Amino acid sequence: MVSDGTVFAGYTIDRQLGRGGMGSVYLARHPRLPRWTALKLLNRELFSDKEIRARFEREADLVAQLDHPNIVTVFDRGVEGDQLWISMQYIDGIDASSLDPHSLPPDRALQIIGETAAALDYAHRAGVLHRDVKPANILLARSSSQERVYLTDFGIARLRDDSGHLTETGSFTATLAYAAPEQLTGAALDHRADQYSLACTLYTLLTGSAPYESSSPAAVITGHLQSPPPPVSPRRAGLPPVLDAVMARALAKRPADRFTSCEEFVDAAQRAVRTGTTGARALARPTSGAHSQPAVNMAPMPPMRPVSSTGTPIPQYNPAPMPPPMPQPQYAPRPQYWQQPAMTPNPPPQSGGWGSVLGTYAIMFVVVIVIAGVIALLANL
């Protein structure tokens, strides 16, 4: 242990921040820049262990390649005497394991897990697996405006495609309560192992205990390998039962049965919580391209009551009944143009009757007079 005020590798030690199985973390002042850093030192008694030294150095090398707002930044690393050290970004806050799950709102728990999922997916795209996701490795920075989440401690992380394993066959270094089944059996790991651990972490933040928590390590291992995921909704009032299916998928024994990414898991959990707490139902998507609307039989609405500007009903308001509507005059329907009677031509005049006989005689009389006049004129010639 390094005493307060000691200068180590140029850094002035202020105080110890925490201690783990591999070393300790101190708050230290940068030797040249006006800022505080988190200085992680490997225990002296472990310096001779080549595997642990390689793992410790690998943490700095891996995280130095990652540039993400939710991942603690590594500034430098080196050796001082018989101790390895890593200089990292100092996060002024707490870790998620110190939160009280009984007073932690589910929305805030999902926000913490959501930012952690973004960091994990970014690391996975870079080919890096964390392999030890748990509440103690999630840091929460104090801020006047909003909370900032950081993922730290990539101490047992390794490149996904790296063939040089840093742990001996059969050894296990991840935290047992949050380990994926494939980590316990020594099977090949991919990004879905971190998703399983992230789901265990969310389970802990919501209920206060891990899914298979027990004082017996054998019971914990048996739970991860054989027991179905315990529902989360019965362990905390107010959680919707639809969340159980989301958690069961993320905690599936087979990696192929889990979500494709950590953020997909968090999105499904957030939708489940919103749906279960607000009672909103998902809209049915039309099966065809047309947005058809179903027929709705609406019940008659009650009479409206006036309210004041503050939204409170105005008392003693009795709406007067509406007078019956005035009777409207009834008009015979006017036929449309296609309903007009067809036009028929006038019938030809009918022959016969006394009028037609007298006319015939008058014509014959005129003809006789004209003929007689013509004969008399010819005789005088």
Side-chain angles (χ1 to χ4, degrees):
M1 181 176 178
V2 181
S3 302
D4 297 348
T6 302
V7 177
F8 183 91
Y11 293 85
T12 303
I13 304 298
D14 182 77
R15 68 179 187 274
Q16 187 179 45
L17 296 175
R19 182 176 179 84
M22 292 175 55
S24 301
V25 181
Y26 297 89
L27 176 64
R29 187 180 297 277
H30 194 276
R32 291 169 297 277
L33 299 177
R35 70 181 180 194
W36 294 99
T37 62
L39 195 65
K40 187 172 184 178
L41 277 63
L42 182 69
N43 295 337
R44 292 181 183 273
E45 59 270 20
L46 300 177
F47 181 77
S48 59
D49 190 320
K50 294 182 179 180
E51 181 183 346
I52 294 180
R53 287 180 57 182
R55 185 189 308 157
F56 192 83
E57 292 176 343
R58 177 61 59 90
E59 175 183 6
D61 293 344
L62 289 181
V63 183
Q65 303 174 34
L66 305 177
D67 183 14
H68 191 272
N70 297 115
I71 295 179
V72 173
T73 304
V74 169
F75 298 135
D76 198 3
R77 72 176 178 90
V79 180
E80 180 76 7
D82 293 336
Q83 282 189 294
L84 289 165
W85 59 269
I86 300 176
S87 174
M88 301 178 295
Q89 177 185 6
Y90 168 62
I91 306 300
D92 183 15
I94 60 175
D95 63 70
S97 65
S98 61
L99 298 173
D100 181 10
H102 302 290
S103 60
L104 181 67
D107 288 342
R108 186 186 175 201
L110 287 168
Q111 179 260 332
I112 293 172
I113 296 300
E115 294 192 39
T116 306
L120 286 171
D121 284 348
Y122 169 82
H124 296 161
R125 289 191 294 269
V128 177
L129 307 179
H130 189 283
R131 303 199 305 165
D132 194 22
V133 179
K134 59 184 178 181
N137 286 338
I138 300 175
L139 305 181
L140 310 175
R142 298 187 181 96
S143 175
S144 57
S145 58
Q146 62 181 1
E147 190 173 59
R148 184 77 172 271
V149 179
Y150 293 89
L151 180 63
T152 187
D153 201 356
F154 282 74
I156 64 171
R158 69 175 176 87
L159 290 173
R160 180 176 54 200
D161 299 327
D162 188 4
S163 58
H165 295 277
L166 298 180
T167 56
E168 297 178 356
T169 303
S171 64
F172 179 75
T173 53
T175 305
L176 191 61
Y178 303 92
E182 56 268 31
Q183 287 181 281
L184 299 173
T185 59
L189 303 181
D190 63 10
H191 61 284
R192 291 168 293 191
D194 285 342
Q195 180 192 141
Y196 184 98
S197 301
L198 186 67
C200 291
T201 300
L202 176 59
Y203 197 102
T204 301
L205 294 182
L206 292 175
T207 66
S209 62
Y212 305 107
E213 188 157 329
S214 174
S215 58
S216 169
V220 177
I221 295 175
T222 302
H224 284 302
L225 296 180
Q226 300 179 4
S227 301
V232 67
S233 61
R235 296 197 180 186
R236 177 168 179 173
L239 292 179
V242 291
L243 183 60
D244 297 335
V246 176
M247 297 295 293
R249 181 178 175 185
L251 295 172
K253 308 303 180 187
R254 299 175 61 251
D257 296 333
R258 300 171 197 159
F259 294 93
T260 58
S261 68
C262 293
E263 289 184 288
E264 183 187 2
F265 156 58
V266 175
D267 289 343
Q270 289 175 339
R271 287 195 303 269
V273 170
R274 286 197 303 265
T275 302
T277 55
T278 63
R281 294 180 298 175
L283 295 177
R285 187 179 299 275
T287 55
S288 65
H291 298 278
S292 59
Q293 299 293 332
V296 179
N297 296 324
M298 298 184 63
M301 295 182 62
M304 299 181 64
R305 298 290 189 269
V307 296
S308 64
S309 59
T310 60
T312 56
I314 298 177
Q316 297 181 354
Y317 175 78
N318 296 317
M322 295 291 294
M326 296 293 294
Q328 298 294 329
Q330 301 297 324
Y331 299 97
R334 181 178 180 181
Q336 302 297 330
Y337 68 91
W338 61 83
Q339 297 175 333
Q340 296 287 348
M343 298 293 294
T344 56
N346 293 328
Q350 301 292 330
S351 60
W354 288 106
S356 59
V357 174
L358 294 177
T360 301
Y361 288 158
I363 293 173
M364 292 177 63
F365 179 76
V366 171
V367 171
V368 171
I369 295 298
V370 171
I371 294 175
V374 171
I375 293 175
L377 179 60
L378 293 175
N380 294 327
L381 296 176

